[in-house]
Amino acid sequence: MELAERFLLDALAYLECALGVVCYVLLKLVGSPYGRYASPGSAFELPARAAWAVQELPSLALPLLACAGAPAERLNRWPNCILLAMFLVHYAQRTLVFPFLIRGGKPTPLYAFLLAFIFCTYNGYLQSRYLSQYAVYADDWLSDPRFLTGSALWLIGMLINIHSDHVLRNLRKPGETGYKIPRGGLFEYISAANYFGEVVEWCGYALASWSIQGWAFAVFTFCVLFTRAQQHHKWYHEKFEDYPKFRKIMIPFLV
């Protein structure tokens, strides 16, 4: 039974990588039709705050269940606990904090909400089950350069992501409407600083975990967010004649 589930977790990780590539191609073709790109008056929309909180919830609940439910054989090891805590901290912020900071967010189309909920359930199971039951690390893994570098990247990426979200929330003063050019932080160099932070965060997590499960999440995140960043970058240039020409899309000084 354990061997079968371990094989399943590896298969799900490879499938997640493949789905990331498929999403990249599809989103390049059709774009991301939600948020500012959603058609006005689309049917079956959900309030932004509630949609965000519920769609992210599985990635918070499933790791907690892994800790509280059946014996989590590997969570008596510090590397497994710290890696699962990284995952939990991110989704605690995205589920319990971020939605309630949203200011006037556009309604979320039902299909976008369902896709996000399904992914969070899928990936939440994959990461939490692997780390709680099957991931095996050497006794000195906490001092391994891969773990130390990955943990630092995870923290830096999370802080960039949170700060960039703060910048975006405060673009408009109370009562103002319309869109503005983001200023400050990494937005001085790239159009999608918040997405860059999240990609760095999960690449750090993948490096620290050194697992196909972790890297699958990082690959999927990059594939989805990079297409969204390209869409934002193009939109900014079309909407604002004075948009800084030197800004890159999502990777400072490069792309």
Side-chain angles (χ1 to χ4, degrees):
M1 183 65 179
E2 290 186 3
L3 184 61
E5 186 178 23
R6 177 58 193 271
F7 177 81
L8 173 64
L9 293 174
D10 287 348
L12 289 175
Y14 286 112
L15 178 60
E16 187 168 316
C17 288
L19 289 173
V21 175
V22 170
C23 287
Y24 178 85
V25 173
L26 290 176
L27 292 173
K28 285 287 287 183
L29 293 174
V30 303
S32 302
Y34 66 93
R36 71 186 64 169
Y37 311 111
S39 301
S42 298
F44 306 112
E45 293 181 330
L46 302 173
R49 289 182 176 178
W52 263 107
V54 176
Q55 73 188 27
E56 305 286 304
L57 183 59
S59 286
L60 175 63
L62 289 172
L64 291 176
L65 289 173
C67 297
E73 297 181 8
R74 303 307 305 171
L75 291 183
N76 59 352
R77 309 289 295 178
W78 276 111
N80 301 65
C81 290
I82 293 172
L83 288 165
L84 190 59
M86 290 179 183
F87 191 81
L88 274 168
V89 166
H90 174 90
Y91 279 103
Q93 196 274 336
R94 299 302 278 184
T95 304
L96 304 177
V97 178
F98 175 79
F100 303 99
L101 297 176
I102 293 175
R103 295 181 179 178
K106 292 184 177 297
T108 301
L110 179 61
Y111 70 87
F113 163 79
L114 291 175
L115 289 174
F117 183 86
I118 290 169
F119 173 76
C120 286
T121 302
Y122 181 116
N123 191 59
Y125 164 77
L126 178 64
Q127 305 301 327
S128 61
R129 190 68 180 169
Y130 174 73
L131 289 172
S132 64
Q133 298 292 338
Y134 298 103
V136 177
Y137 295 100
D139 292 339
D140 61 350
W141 183 249
L142 294 183
S143 61
D144 189 284
R146 290 166 291 183
F147 180 84
L148 295 174
T149 304
S151 298
L153 286 174
W154 172 82
L155 179 59
I156 292 169
M158 186 178 69
L159 294 176
I160 291 172
N161 181 248
I162 292 173
H163 176 261
S164 300
D165 283 338
H166 172 77
V167 170
L168 292 174
R169 277 195 303 271
N170 289 278
L171 283 178
R172 293 189 294 265
K173 295 179 181 178
E176 288 185 330
T177 59
Y179 291 96
K180 293 185 177 182
I181 298 174
R183 307 282 187 184
L186 284 180
F187 282 112
E188 296 299 324
Y189 305 97
I190 51 178
S191 295
N194 50 334
Y195 296 157
F196 173 71
E198 191 157 350
V199 168
V200 169
E201 185 180 356
W202 294 124
C203 284
Y205 167 83
L207 182 61
S209 70
W210 203 249
S211 66
I212 183 58
Q213 286 74 18
W215 283 111
F217 187 19
V219 168
F220 187 94
T221 300
F222 176 82
C223 288
V224 172
L225 294 187
F226 187 66
T227 57
R228 180 80 168 170
Q230 288 176 309
Q231 194 172 7
H232 281 355
H233 189 71
K234 180 181 178 182
W235 182 87
Y236 280 129
H237 277 282
E238 291 174 347
K239 187 169 182 66
F240 300 102
E241 292 184 0
D242 59 339
Y243 193 74
K245 305 300 182 185
F246 61 86
R247 284 192 191 180
K248 299 298 183 180
I249 299 172
M250 196 177 80
I251 302 177
F253 311 112
L254 295 176
V255 181

